[in-house]
Amino acid sequence: MRNAHAVADIRAAEAELMARLPPGALMQRAAAGLAAVCAGLLPRVYGARVVVLAGSGDNGGDALYAGARLARRGALVLAVAAGARLHAGGAAALRAAGGRVTEPGDPDLPAAMNAAGLVLDGLLGIGGRGGLRGPQAALAELAEAARAGHGTTVVAVDLPSGVDADTGEVPGAAVQADVTVTFGTWKTGLLIDPGAARAGLAYLVNIGLAPYLPGPAAAAYGAGDVAALLPRPGPESDKYRRGVIGIVAGSDRFTGAAALAVGGAVRGGAGMVRLVTAPAAAAVVRQHWPEAVITVTGDSGGEVGTAGRVQAWLAGPGMGTDEQARRRLAAVLATDLPVLVDADGLTLLAESPALVAERRAATLLTPHAGELARLMRTDPAEVTARRSEHARAAARTYGCCVLLKGSTTVIAADGGPLLVNPTGTGWLATAGTGDVLAGLAGALLAQGLDAGEAAAAAAYLHGISARYAASGTGEHPGGEAPIGAGDVIGSLPDAIRAVHEAAPRPFAGPGSGHTPG
């Protein structure tokens, strides 16, 4: 798991650690790790051209000291004094190692950056706010021109300059890095878009900060973390013990939504799926998923109570927004069971927030940016730009766990750390994939995971499955071709197998097996 911490907590931990170390020792640890990564990125260090963009803060010092280490190994290092001052010790070390220092207005600088094998971005540190301005913004543009036009590798020191470390917001000009070398702990801005997209490949350098850090502000699950959450059926399992999910989805107009949600639940491990849906959608589901137990809707909207016993409910995909749909949603939310609300259910909830006001059982909302904007009466572009802020605000407002879908899927529960999904592909931006995710997460709720765990595990598996589907194989994910929502369902077993392979397997003793149906 990648745990990320708030800037204020990182600063406090650094101060506590530095009080126990000789002066400058912490910066030298960071510089050594940074230089080691940079050396590995260069075909060879001796004779390599390196440009260091050094701001006024400690990140500028880290970059200068790393440049000095590379210069001592024969690299030709040029530092650009990009701030109001230059870190004195770092600059002295660089000059002593044979490096040079210049100013942002140097007319030869564009050519030097174009010829460089590597540019180190030490313009701003984790305390930077508001994007790059003036000469620093111009230097970021030069770095991008060298990167895009001449293949120069741009390495960000701790965080790409211009990215907000606590949120991932990019409010103005910012550096686009190929690689980011971060120190001590992950920063939330490295995990969440748009900042994560600026970071490139990220490395964490251990500088001894961990014992002094509090709980994380955000966390990203890994395969082993997800494997530990996924239920495994044992010898005594049956379909009821495996988890029964009730789904209210589909309509005569939107028949596919029900089939996709049911498919996500079946392939997500549910022991049984009970579906409440319209006649036309029921016919489609019977063709694709004959194992589903179906209750056909009528004019009353009261079918939820007659569907049968379940362990959790999913309501929303393609169910419509008429009065009968509202009654079904209200009936689901009136139960004392975990409930996932998606799609049309979110539209109804935005109109009637009181439906969840008195709930005591777990409730998981799974909006995209537009749906969250309706829930929070704001603009979708604002949600996209400040994903973590709006997801957390929605969790507080509705008293629910919120999974905000998008280029970075984030999961917020009031009082807990933000969970960030690291998997996925742009090919997921196609109709119906959200229905699959809802069915998968609902199945995990029915199997006993709490709302945050179910959301995080489902998002992780959904992303891996999409990558496998796009690459055409479960072994070499690459995202090479367009896919549909049905392809994601088809690859879910591969995704589940993959995460289980990341965890130690328990011994399967004599007699282990399963109980049919």
Side-chain angles (χ1 to χ4, degrees):
M1 183 178 291
R2 290 185 173 185
N3 287 325
H5 290 83
V7 169
D9 292 333
I10 295 170
R11 293 294 195 213
E14 288 175 340
E16 191 171 353
L17 177 56
M18 284 190 289
R20 291 165 166 76
L21 295 175
L26 191 62
M27 184 170 285
Q28 290 301 328
R29 289 181 183 180
L34 175 60
V37 173
C38 290
L41 295 171
L42 292 166
R44 63 174 186 170
V45 178
Y46 187 85
R49 296 181 181 274
V50 176
V51 175
V52 176
L53 307 180
S56 302
D58 288 344
N59 272 32
D62 296 334
L64 289 166
Y65 276 119
R69 288 172 178 266
L70 295 173
R72 287 198 295 269
R73 294 178 58 179
L76 306 174
V77 182
L78 174 67
V80 183
R85 60 181 176 82
L86 200 60
H87 189 280
L94 179 65
R95 289 188 176 102
R100 296 188 300 113
V101 177
T102 188
E103 300 295 324
D106 184 343
D108 296 326
L109 185 56
M113 292 179 72
N114 291 341
L118 194 116
V119 169
L120 270 177
D121 162 35
L123 293 171
L124 292 180
I126 59 175
R129 294 291 185 273
L132 299 175
R133 294 175 290 276
Q136 293 184 334
L139 289 171
E141 289 182 7
L142 288 178
E144 177 58 20
R147 174 181 171 275
H150 300 274
T152 301
T153 299
V154 176
V155 178
V157 180
D158 215 12
L159 185 84
S161 296
V163 172
D164 188 297
D166 277 339
T167 67
E169 296 170 26
V170 181
V175 168
Q176 176 64 60
D178 298 293
V179 173
T180 296
V181 182
T182 198
F183 309 123
T185 183
W186 297 99
K187 284 71 186 176
T188 303
L190 294 175
L191 305 181
I192 300 175
D193 279 339
R198 294 274 179 173
L201 183 64
Y203 292 86
L204 176 64
V205 171
N206 180 10
I207 57 173
L209 213 56
Y212 308 99
L213 289 166
Y221 278 12
D225 304 307
V226 174
L229 294 175
L230 295 180
R232 281 177 177 259
E236 301 302 318
S237 293
D238 59 35
K239 60 192 174 188
Y240 301 106
R241 293 174 183 173
R242 290 276 308 278
V244 181
I245 173 71
I247 298 177
V248 183
S251 60
D252 287 334
R253 181 182 180 190
F254 298 110
T255 58
L260 293 170
V262 170
V266 170
R267 291 292 172 85
M272 180 189 290
V273 177
R274 297 188 188 273
L275 174 67
V276 177
T277 194
V284 173
V285 172
R286 288 190 182 104
Q287 292 295 316
H288 289 85
W289 305 105
E291 57 266 70
V293 179
I294 301 175
T295 298
V296 177
T297 58
D299 295 330
S300 69
E303 299 83 6
V304 167
T306 62
R309 185 177 178 181
V310 302
Q311 278 79 52
W313 280 100
L314 157 62
M319 69 185 287
T321 57
D322 59 14
E323 179 58 25
Q324 288 80 12
R326 193 199 68 78
R327 289 176 189 166
R328 293 179 191 114
L329 176 63
V332 165
L333 290 170
T335 69
D336 60 358
L337 298 171
V339 174
L340 187 157
V341 184
D342 184 49
D344 286 341
L346 295 169
T347 299
L348 292 167
L349 188 58
E351 297 170 356
S352 304
L355 289 172
V356 297
E358 302 301 323
R359 290 213 90 224
R360 295 295 176 262
T363 310
L364 172 60
L365 312 182
T366 56
H368 54 58
E371 290 164 338
L372 189 69
R374 288 197 292 274
L375 288 168
M376 298 299 290
R377 308 291 195 271
T378 188
D379 183 78
E382 284 294 307
V383 174
T384 300
R386 306 204 305 275
R387 304 183 62 77
S388 60
E389 175 186 331
H390 285 89
R392 285 177 166 136
R396 290 192 300 269
T397 299
Y398 285 85
C400 301
C401 181
V402 175
L403 181 155
L404 174 58
K405 296 177 282 195
S407 59
T408 303
T409 292
V410 298
I411 299 129
D414 196 14
L418 192 76
L419 299 178
V420 183
N421 182 50
T423 68
T425 167
W427 296 115
L428 271 172
T430 189
T433 55
D435 302 330
V436 177
L437 175 62
L440 174 58
L444 295 175
L445 280 176
Q447 292 173 80
L449 276 66
D450 71 29
E453 292 171 342
Y460 191 98
L461 292 170
H462 190 249
I464 291 291
S465 180
R467 289 166 56 193
Y468 284 2
S471 67
T473 173
E475 298 178 358
H476 305 290
E480 297 298 331
I483 56 173
D487 300 315
V488 179
I489 295 173
S491 290
L492 275 173
D494 284 332
I496 293 170
R497 278 191 287 269
V499 299
H500 280 310
E501 288 172 359
R505 295 187 177 186
F507 172 69
S512 57
H514 69 280
T515 302

